[in-house]
């Protein structure tokens, strides 16, 4: 936005800040919060503190630095209020779990390490965060964030101390962080409609079981390399020979890849054309099939044995799951796989729409990064990073609420 456009929003922004930043105890903190949000929305190549302060008529670099990096305000109540307001406004159809990377030089910034960086498409020095977003086909907004702490950081207490990592913070896999974020958002009185995520989460059997334990429905991407038995397959228990441990129940045939199951479904003519969304350029359609299978593999086997009372007591039956497969006309192979705990008679159009809605967060990241400077934070501390992403989330939430208001036209 131009400076004049941002200045004309001062009244509306002050009302918004008074609501979502109401947990901040001091008036000057709320004032600098509003100032920071105006800096994020204002046109400019960099949205770090120094250039933002220079652009704003009331910008004060030292005050903004202190507000973001040192001030001990808690970002969680701010995110909670944003989540409640946005969930009421957009009525999300899914919650999207995703992670995002921030290329970073040096090794002093909290959580920075050489790891896979999605922003660059390769291993590089970066920070990684896990997020949960509320989404519909037409609107979305982040609800909660957590910075990922690599093991090398968790094992170096002095390094953590210098970066302000809270005492007791330990390394957790991203899927565990995601479950923690879902617990936070659920604890705010919000209910997950359907949880969707990419294959990095979908292939994790413990993550899927964590969602099931929480009573959450999901549609999670897979790679197609996962293996499964036919739904009708039944295990048998070989006769005990009298020596060694008791024989275990097993399936008579080896599990097959989902790609082979999909080929069987195609040969049986089970793929149908499905309209899954009305796009700006017309109807969006593709061919889908729904299969009921019994996921196999080491993780599925271990989880089933644990749920069955242990390896020796397990009856050998692997739980069933619903798998959605996309195979567009003219393609030699499927282009997408998703696993779900919803029943196999769930309308395929619903499954396809929820599965595809994960890409809505790409709109979030485009605005958050390119428009609002999500990855422009130049500080090093854990607190500063979480303050910055909370403020960027607030800026996007404010703009989203304006876009949803039919009486308002938001300046470009």
């Amino acid at each position: 936005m131009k400076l004049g456009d941002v200045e004309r929003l001062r009244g509306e922004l002050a009302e918004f800040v008074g609501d979502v930043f109401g947990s901040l105890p001091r008036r000057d903190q709320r004032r600098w919060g509003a100032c920071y949000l105006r800096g994020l929305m204002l046109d400019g190549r960099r949205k770090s503190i120094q250039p933002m302060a220079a652009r704003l008529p009331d910008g004060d670099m030292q005050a903004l630095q202190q507000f973001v990096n040192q001030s001990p305000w808690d970002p969680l109540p701010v995110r909670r209020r944003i989540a409640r307001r946005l969930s009421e406004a957009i009525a999300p159809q899914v919650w999207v779990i995703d992670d995002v990377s921030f290329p970073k030089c040096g090794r002093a910034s909290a959580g920075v390490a050489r790891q896979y960086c999605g922003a660059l498409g390769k291993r590089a020095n970066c920070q990684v965060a896990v997020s949960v977003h509320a989404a519909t086909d037409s609107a979305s907004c982040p609800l909660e964030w957590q910075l990922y702490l690599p093991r090398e950081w968790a094992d170096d207490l002095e390094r953590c101390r210098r970066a302000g990592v809270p005492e007791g913070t330990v390394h957790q896999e991203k899927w565990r962080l995601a479950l923690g974020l879902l617990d936070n958002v659920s604890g705010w009185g919000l209910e997950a409609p359907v949880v969707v995520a990419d294959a990095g989460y979908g292939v994790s059997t413990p993550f899927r079981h964590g969602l099931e334990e929480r009573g959450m429905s999901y549609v999670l991407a897979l790679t197609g390399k996962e293996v499964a038995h036919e739904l009708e397959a039944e295990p048998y228990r070989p006769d005990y020979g009298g020596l060694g441990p008791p024989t275990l129940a097993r399936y008579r045939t080896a599990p097959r890849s989902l790609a082979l199951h999909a080929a069987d479904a195609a040969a049986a003519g089970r793929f149908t054309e499905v309209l899954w969304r009305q796009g700006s350029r017309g109807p969006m359609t593709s061919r889908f099939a729904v299969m009921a299978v019994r996921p196999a593999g080491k993780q599925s086997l271990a989880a089933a044995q644990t749920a069955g009372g242990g390896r020796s007591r397990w009856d050998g039956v692997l739980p069933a799951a619903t798998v959605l497969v996309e195979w567009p006309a003219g393609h030699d192979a499927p282009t997408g796989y998703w696993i779900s705990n919803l029943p196999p008679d769930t309308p395929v159009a619903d499954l396809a729409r929820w599965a595809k809605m994960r890409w809505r967060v790409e709109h979030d990241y485009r605005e958050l990064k390119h428009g609002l400077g999500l990855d422009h934070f130049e500080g090093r501390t854990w607190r500063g990073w979480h303050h910055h992403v909370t403020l960027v989330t607030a800026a996007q939430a404010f703009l989203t609420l304006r876009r949803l208001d039919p009486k308002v036209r938001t300046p470009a």
Side-chain angles (χ1 to χ4, degrees), residues 168-245:
T169 304
V170 298
H171 165 77
Q172 289 185 306
E173 299 93 332
K174 296 183 183 71
W175 65 266
R176 291 188 191 275
L177 292 179
L179 291 176
L181 295 181
L182 291 172
D183 289 340
N184 286 352
V185 179
S186 297
W188 298 341
L190 302 177
E191 186 173 348
V194 176
V195 176
V196 300
D198 65 19
Y201 296 91
V203 299
S204 171
T205 300
F207 177 66
R208 301 200 303 265
H209 282 201
L211 294 177
E212 291 165 4
E213 289 170 356
R214 290 161 173 78
M216 295 179 175
S217 302
Y218 59 78
V219 180
L220 307 173
L222 296 174
T223 67
K225 299 177 182 178
E226 295 77 22
V227 295
H229 292 284
E230 301 286 348
L231 180 66
E232 297 77 15
E234 296 182 356
Y236 78 105
R237 188 181 298 273
D239 294 335
Y240 180 53
L243 297 174

Side-chain angles (χ1 to χ4, degrees), residues 107-134:
R107 61 186 306 274
S109 297
V112 70
R114 187 167 180 79
Q115 54 195 318
Y116 180 75
C117 179
L120 301 177
K122 62 180 181 180
R123 284 181 62 83
N125 217 47
C126 66
Q127 295 169 307
V128 175
V130 179
S131 57
V132 55
H133 305 242

Side-chain angles (χ1 to χ4, degrees), residues 58-124:
D58 56 346
D60 184 319
M61 187 178 72
Q62 184 174 353
L64 290 174
Q65 288 276 15
Q66 197 279 333
F67 171 70
V68 174
N69 290 307
Q70 284 85 41
S71 185
W73 57 275
D74 187 354
L76 281 179
V78 178
R79 295 183 203 159
R80 179 177 63 220
R81 183 58 189 144
I82 293 171
R84 288 175 174 173
R85 282 196 62 166
L86 268 293
S87 294
E88 181 179 351
I90 71 177
Q93 297 178 353
V94 298
W95 283 358
V96 183
I97 296 293
D98 205 2
D99 48 64
V100 60
S101 56
F102 305 86
K104 202 81 170 176
C105 296
R107 61 186 306 274
S109 297
V112 70
R114 187 167 180 79
Q115 54 195 318
Y116 180 75
C117 179
L120 301 177
K122 62 180 181 180
R123 284 181 62 83

